Amino acid sequence: MKVSILGGGSEIGASCLHVHIGETDLLIDAGMRVHGDDLLPAFGMLDNLGEPEAVLVTHAHADHIGALPIVHRLYPKAPIFATPPTADLMQIMMRDSFKIMEQRCLETRSLIPYTKEQMEETLRAVRLFPAGGTITFGDAKVTLYRAGHILGAVMFLIEGGSEKLLVSGDLSFKAGRTIPGAEVPAGTRPDALILESTYGNREHSDRNTEEKRLADNVAEVIAVGGFALIPAFALGRAQEVLLILQDYMDRGLIPEFPIYVDGLVTPISKIYRRYPQFLKGPVAHRIRTNGDAFLTEGRCTAVQPKEREAVLQGKPACIIASSGMLIGGASVWYAERLIGGAQNAIFITGYQDEESPGRKLLNLAEGESDELELNGTVHSVKCRVGKYGLSAHGDAGELNRFIDTVRPAHTLLVHGDDEARAALNERIEKRYRSILSENGEAYTFRRSASGREIRSGGPQRGPDRALKEKVGCLILYRKKEDEPFHLALCTGVHGRTHSLICQTPKGKQIRLSPDQTAETIGRWNRSFDELQSDSGEVFAFARPFIKKIDWERAKEGHRTFAEMVSMCLPEASLKQRLAAALVLQALPDRFRTLNQGTARYRIDRESRRLLASLALPVQGLKMNVTLAMDKIRERLADQPHFIRCGADGLGTADERITLYFDFPDTVGLEERKKLSGKIKDATGWTAAFSDSVRTDLLQAKIGESLGTSVSPSIYLDTKCVSLPIKCPENGGEIAEKIKKETGFTLQFKDEPPAPADAEERRGVPPEFFRTQTPSPRLENNEAIHEAKVWAADRGITIYKASMKQRNGLAYMEVHFITPEVAMRHTADMEELSCRTGLPITFAKNPKQNEIIRTASELIPEDWGLQKNPSLHPGEALLTVKLPEKPPEEEVRRVGERIEERTGYRLSVLVR
């Protein structure tokens, strides 16, 4: 095993390690220096080293990522891996590093190391470590452990060729208020430990004392009318300071005062909000309840550059701005204006490089000088200066205890100045063979002669252990048997109740008992924004993801969910895994068993058939009906004959979405079949086709073609239109055109009637309803009286029955409240035909006043309806406008009553 130090060995800055272990080469970090003429690691060493199979990033600070574009340019095929929070933070931090580097190159008139385009290409190339925390490159296995330094920071245990290497990255064990401390890989006993030593020569003062001192001093400055500037690292330190000051205000330990946040602090704080599962419990709770833990409304205000002057003209306040070493950015702008005021203060809370203005300011406070240069201008320092120990690095004692817990064969000290590394080196026990690393040097380590392997059968898997293994995993659950499934991330275990503490994608904390959990979907390390988006997409409509699952690949036997995923899924994305879990939950109980808290699924020919058939009652197999109809309308927007669609049979086994066309015969059987298939794939819904015809449009189209207004007789059962005029010269062309556009045949006055063959048009609602058995015809008045008796016998409401004649055919027309209600009584109208001996039809126009009266009676008074409902006969829709939206369940009940009485659906709009 060989470790080459390209940068960050005998210094803090430009961290970059080349590791050769087993037969694999890896590069870890590629940062830039904050000061000096040489910004970059010694990349020239790479000429004599193996090409890395991957680049691993410990965390997003500039001294660890600032030179990655050069590495990507050298090795474009080597993937760059980071944790999801680090990848998001890199988008901000690397662009900021580029600005600093660009400015310095302009000042020194030197050539910029890489271009903005190369930087953007690098950011696009970043890939994410898997949620499971392990990944393999060549013959090297890499395991991630939380480093505690900042959000997303990790250390790497690399195993290859029977050797182990532990790379600490930057470590913090107490980690302050924002994130948990480092996860110590106890007893790993690596052959070599590469350990940071930033504070190897000191012990941190008591954190609570330092926090109190900072809060009290800020309050003192503001109380006398001054401004307190806290230059802070935008990533990590600024979030800590914001939490400290607000906590002291919340507890009444200091007075309330405004806090202004400037620079990169605001966008980085937004990224922290996206990963509550990486934060400490109280911070995550504040995010859940307030939407933010850092920028509290009414107290903390994010400032844009154009607003800075107004801040300093306003009330005394605390200003938290980057950068933390006063090298550049917003903090320098404020420092230049505040440094000369005795009532003001600049409080330093983080590490200061030897050459930084921040370090010089601290030296000045010790009496070495009373002048400080900022942006090339020398300022007389009159403000108060203070330093506070809020470090995000382990101190000497913590680092020693870390070494003693890990128990390496060799320890290579990096990432510290000479004093810090030398002091730590003196304290480390000799058995851990510590080495003071130097930039540009390579170090070779060999497996110790004892071959120190750690052998352990491991603890037995008990109930508590099984629950703890779910921490960090996504849990599919439902609170009650008849409720839909939901998803949550397990963040802990409640020991006393043996329940899981979980967080939903929307940030709500819940507690689940083991019997409420249906399946463990897998680990999750990405943002909650992504979790909410991906899971919401599947729950809304799982069908597209389910169709990609190859259930035939499942081998027979009793299989766990993990085994099913590995066998059947083309990809192990959250969407695919969640879709697969929903399908498996829909299997009949005889195919599911629970063994020591793990669900197993019986796979045989029958269960494979059920899984593949899409016939199971799978949650999300159909899209929400409203969204489905929107999608159908969008798909049919260019279909010239499409009018509307509506849902029928909701809550029954015959649920469907019915499509309405002005002239249904223009949509042939083949087109209907294709359209049904496309709708099924796009929405999960079965499509039905209404055969109702827009006779008003048909009449208008005929009049337009003839160039004159006519009053035709329309026979829906025979699809024939009888015209009371002689056939014009171009009558044949007109008839052919009408036939093609509507499916109706024209019959002019001087033409013989076309044969009627209603049997050829099965499924089309007939114009007339006739009894199959001939019966004597009643006289007209008797027939009308019989219609009234018939309606009373059947409990049917009709408004009129009248006698009419068409082409010598006498028939009765019955008036219902709407044609939609009439179509519910086709069998009843056949009975009326038998009782009267007459063909029966119904009036095609709705009784609009009656519909409005009926709806107004059914709508509750407390809805505050002030105007009559609006009618849309073409869509069988009734719309009401209200000052407020009533409860959904009440709207549903009222809508059902209105539709039952009128055949019209209810739509509620809020004014």
Side-chain angles (χ1 to χ4, degrees):
M1 175 172 56
K2 181 180 177 182
V3 177
S4 302
I5 311 293
L6 281 68
S10 51
E11 62 179 335
I12 295 176
S15 290
C16 188
L17 305 174
H18 182 282
V19 173
H20 176 79
I21 185 168
E23 299 298 324
T24 302
D25 293 289
L26 298 169
L27 201 65
I28 299 175
D29 290 341
M32 61 185 285
R33 292 182 179 87
V34 178
H35 291 289
D37 296 331
D38 190 3
L39 296 173
L40 305 174
F43 288 129
M45 293 178 66
L46 293 172
D47 293 340
N48 300 315
L49 299 172
E51 180 174 337
E53 292 200 26
V55 181
L56 314 182
V57 179
T58 60
H59 65 285
H61 275 144
D63 59 327
H64 292 258
I65 66 167
L68 281 174
I70 298 175
V71 171
H72 185 58
R73 187 176 66 200
L74 293 171
Y75 305 112
K77 293 183 180 179
I80 302 170
F81 276 88
T83 63
T86 296
D88 282 357
L89 292 166
M90 284 170 65
Q91 298 288 327
I92 296 173
M93 298 302 292
M94 192 179 289
R95 291 185 175 97
D96 184 62
S97 297
F98 180 79
K99 289 180 183 178
I100 295 171
M101 181 180 65
E102 190 176 37
Q103 182 62 34
R104 286 174 61 185
C105 289
L106 285 173
E107 292 171 357
T108 59
R109 298 184 180 181
S110 56
L111 189 64
I112 195 164
Y114 55 84
T115 65
K116 185 176 182 180
E117 289 71 25
Q118 288 168 338
M119 176 196 68
E120 295 292 347
E121 184 181 342
T122 301
L123 289 171
R124 288 193 294 271
V126 175
R127 296 166 67 178
L128 304 180
F129 282 118
T134 60
I135 189 169
T136 301
F137 303 101
D139 67 342
K141 175 186 173 184
V142 179
T143 304
L144 279 62
Y145 293 91
R146 185 180 64 242
H149 176 57
I150 59 169
L151 177 68
V154 289
M155 63 183 100
F156 302 123
L157 177 65
I158 307 171
E159 301 170 88
S162 76
E163 295 174 318
K164 289 184 185 179
L165 172 68
L166 181 61
V167 181
S168 74
D170 288 4
L171 291 172
S172 179
F173 299 97
K174 295 176 182 174
R177 293 171 175 260
T178 316
I179 57 173
E183 179 186 6
V184 180
T188 49
R189 306 183 78 179
D191 298 289
L193 165 64
I194 301 177
L195 180 67
E196 71 119 320
S197 52
T198 311
Y199 286 109
N201 60 339
R202 70 197 80 173
E203 302 279 346
H204 293 323
S205 53
D206 178 68
R207 176 78 179 211
N208 292 331
T209 301
E210 294 297 287
E211 289 185 358
K212 184 178 187 306
R213 202 163 58 85
L214 174 65
D216 288 343
N217 290 351
V218 170
E220 289 168 7
V221 170
I222 294 171
V224 297
F227 284 86
L229 171 64
I230 303 178
F233 297 116
L235 174 50
R237 187 57 42 77
Q239 288 74 31
E240 289 286 320
V241 173
L242 282 166
L243 292 178
I244 291 167
L245 295 179
Q246 293 185 84
D247 177 52
Y248 271 73
M249 288 186 198
D250 290 340
R251 292 191 287 156
L253 301 176
I254 59 174
E256 292 272 346
F257 50 76
I259 301 174
Y260 294 101
V261 177
D262 204 340
L264 298 181
V265 180
T266 303
I268 287 173
S269 296
K270 289 180 180 178
I271 291 176
Y272 269 67
R273 294 203 313 253
R274 297 180 61 206
Y275 293 93
Q277 75 272 34
F278 285 82
L279 306 179
K280 282 189 171 180
V283 185
H285 177 72
R286 285 184 64 161
I287 291 173
R288 286 194 301 270
T289 54
N290 302 330
D292 198 328
F294 308 107
L295 303 179
T296 304
E297 186 176 351
R299 178 188 286 160
C300 299
T301 305
V303 177
Q304 300 297 323
K306 63 182 179 181
E307 300 169 321
R308 290 172 183 166
E309 290 287 359
V311 169
L312 296 184
Q313 296 299 318
K315 294 180 180 179
C318 177
I319 302 166
I320 303 171
S322 56
S323 70
M325 296 188 196
L326 290 173
I327 296 166
S331 65
V332 175
W333 189 94
Y334 289 105
E336 288 178 304
R337 289 153 179 80
L338 298 175
I339 202 168
Q343 76 278 18
N344 300 323
I346 300 178
F347 293 144
I348 303 295
T349 62
Y351 175 83
Q352 302 296 306
D353 187 84
E354 286 294 337
E355 300 300 319
S356 69
R359 173 58 66 89
K360 293 173 182 177
L361 183 64
L362 291 176
N363 294 340
L364 176 150
E366 296 171 2
E368 295 185 12
S369 171
D370 61 356
E371 293 182 340
L372 180 68
E373 183 178 328
L374 295 169
N375 280 339
T377 301
V378 176
H379 297 268
S380 176
V381 180
K382 297 180 180 178
C383 71
R384 178 177 175 180
V385 177
K387 180 183 178 182
Y388 306 86
L390 303 178
S391 175
H393 292 268
D395 65 18
E398 291 169 330
L399 293 173
N400 254 294
R401 291 193 294 276
F402 178 75
I403 296 170
D404 206 38
T405 306
V406 172
R407 301 176 66 187
H410 299 86
T411 305
L412 189 59
L413 299 181
V414 298
H415 200 282
D417 58 30
D418 291 341
E419 290 183 16
R421 291 186 307 122
L424 184 60
N425 184 53
E426 288 295 321
R427 294 183 62 163
I428 296 173
E429 289 188 30
K430 289 183 179 181
R431 59 177 169 154
Y432 300 129
R433 298 171 188 160
S434 62
I435 303 168
L436 296 176
S437 67
E438 295 293 334
N439 288 342
E441 293 293 329
Y443 302 87
T444 301
F445 304 97
R446 291 181 175 83
R447 187 70 168 160
S448 60
S450 64
R452 301 178 306 172
E453 296 290 346
I454 302 171
R455 299 184 181 276
S456 171
Q460 294 298 310
R461 179 188 172 91
D464 289 343
R465 180 175 175 79
L467 288 177
K468 288 177 181 177
E469 287 177 356
K470 296 184 185 295
V471 176
C473 292
L474 293 170
I475 306 296
L476 186 70
Y477 74 94
R478 58 181 172 186
K479 290 293 187 76
K480 295 180 180 178
E481 188 68 28
D482 56 346
E483 289 184 354
F485 289 102
H486 300 282
L487 197 65
L489 178 66
C490 179
T491 57
V493 176
H494 192 266
R496 186 169 58 83
T497 61
H498 299 288
S499 59
L500 299 178
I501 301 168
C502 299
Q503 192 166 341
T504 70
K506 292 185 177 180
K508 181 182 177 182
Q509 185 167 307
I510 59 173
R511 189 177 293 181
L512 300 173
S513 63
D515 61 353
Q516 291 175 322
T517 64
E519 191 53 83
T520 303
I521 304 298
R523 301 191 71 82
W524 181 259
N525 67 342
R526 302 194 183 186
S527 78
F528 263 51
D529 293 349
E530 191 174 343
L531 176 60
Q532 187 172 350
S533 172
D534 287 2
S535 62
E537 192 174 338
V538 177
F539 282 125
F541 188 40
R543 191 183 193 89
F545 309 103
I546 295 172
K547 290 188 72 174
K548 294 178 182 178
I549 303 172
D550 187 0
W551 297 110
E552 291 300 321
R553 294 173 64 90
K555 296 178 181 179
E556 292 195 0
H558 287 80
R559 303 295 177 189
T560 65
F561 178 70
E563 290 171 332
M564 296 294 289
V565 166
S566 64
M567 287 186 286
C568 303
L569 299 192
E571 57 184 56
S573 68
L574 168 61
K575 295 177 184 179
Q576 287 277 204
R577 285 183 283 127
L578 178 54
L582 289 172
V583 178
L584 290 168
Q585 300 314 305
L587 280 171
D589 290 343
R590 65 181 183 276
F591 293 105
R592 288 200 310 274
T593 58
L594 200 63
N595 183 19
Q596 291 187 347
T598 300
R600 292 183 179 272
Y601 306 92
R602 193 185 89 209
I603 302 303
D604 55 22
R605 181 181 297 179
E606 183 185 1
S607 60
R608 271 199 298 260
R609 180 186 60 79
L610 287 172
L611 291 168
S613 68
L614 290 181
L616 293 169
V618 180
Q619 181 177 329
L621 201 56
K622 287 181 181 178
M623 189 180 287
N624 171 276
V625 65
T626 303
L627 294 177
M629 290 195 291
D630 286 343
K631 191 170 282 289
I632 291 170
R633 292 184 192 104
E634 183 180 335
R635 182 177 288 272
L636 294 177
D638 297 328
Q639 220 288 354
H641 295 287
F642 175 70
I643 300 174
R644 67 179 180 91
C645 57
D648 294 305
L650 294 181
T652 71
D654 191 29
E655 282 188 335
R656 64 198 180 279
I657 292 179
T658 304
L659 310 183
Y660 294 82
F661 298 85
D662 52 6
F663 307 114
D665 276 11
T666 60
V667 185
L669 290 177
E670 192 61 33
E671 185 179 352
R672 291 187 182 201
K673 185 177 179 181
K674 288 180 181 178
L675 191 55
S676 294
K678 290 178 179 178
I679 288 173
K680 190 79 169 181
D681 287 340
T683 69
W685 281 80
T686 298
F689 295 83
S690 170
D691 290 306
S692 62
V693 177
R694 285 290 300 272
T695 55
D696 55 333
L697 294 181
L698 176 61
Q699 184 171 342
K701 190 176 285 288
I702 293 171
E704 181 182 344
S705 298
L706 292 172
T708 182
S709 177
V710 293
S711 297
S713 298
I714 299 173
Y715 301 94
L716 296 176
D717 55 344
T718 61
K719 289 295 187 286
C720 179
V721 178
S722 177
L723 298 173
I725 61 172
K726 292 184 177 181
C727 181
E729 286 187 16
N730 61 343
E733 295 177 7
I734 293 172
E736 186 176 346
K737 176 175 178 287
I738 294 296
K739 179 75 173 177
K740 182 178 180 181
E741 293 181 357
T742 70
F744 277 76
T745 301
L746 292 188
Q747 181 182 333
F748 292 96
K749 183 177 181 180
D750 54 347
E751 290 181 330
D757 190 1
E759 291 301 315
E760 292 181 3
R761 305 188 180 277
R762 294 182 187 275
V764 178
E767 169 84 18
F768 292 103
F769 300 91
R770 297 182 174 93
T771 180
Q772 299 297 318
T773 305
S775 56
R777 177 190 162 182
L778 298 180
E779 183 268 332
N780 288 355
N781 290 331
E782 290 178 341
I784 291 172
H785 174 74
E786 185 62 29
K788 294 177 182 178
V789 173
W790 160 82
D793 290 345
R794 288 295 197 180
I796 298 171
T797 301
I798 61 172
Y799 294 84
K800 187 169 74 170
S802 57
M803 298 299 304
K804 293 197 173 183
Q805 226 180 46
R806 183 188 299 171
N807 294 336
L809 173 68
Y811 63 94
M812 178 184 289
E813 183 179 70
V814 181
H815 293 247
F816 294 82
I817 189 169
T818 62
E820 284 74 18
V821 171
M823 289 305 298
R824 299 173 186 168
H825 300 288
T826 54
D828 296 314
M829 285 187 277
E830 287 181 5
E831 183 198 348
L832 180 60
S833 174
C834 180
R835 290 167 70 158
T836 62
L838 289 163
I840 306 296
T841 190
F842 58 87
K844 304 307 183 292
N845 294 322
K847 306 293 183 187
Q848 296 195 20
N849 291 336
E850 192 61 27
I851 297 170
I852 291 171
R853 184 192 65 77
T854 302
S856 299
E857 286 180 357
L858 295 174
I859 291 172
E861 289 185 11
D862 58 11
W863 282 19
L865 180 65
Q866 296 178 351
K867 293 185 178 180
N868 280 337
S870 300
L871 299 184
H872 309 276
E875 298 180 77
L877 182 68
L878 180 144
T879 301
V880 295
K881 293 184 179 179
L882 304 175
E884 293 181 1
K885 185 73 177 284
E888 290 292 340
E889 180 61 24
E890 188 174 346
V891 171
R892 184 188 63 78
R893 288 198 306 269
V894 173
E896 287 176 351
R897 294 193 200 106
I898 290 175
E899 188 165 11
E900 173 64 26
R901 294 272 297 275
T902 69
Y904 274 39
R905 294 175 296 110
L906 174 65
S907 173
V908 175
L909 303 177
V910 179
R911 290 198 299 270

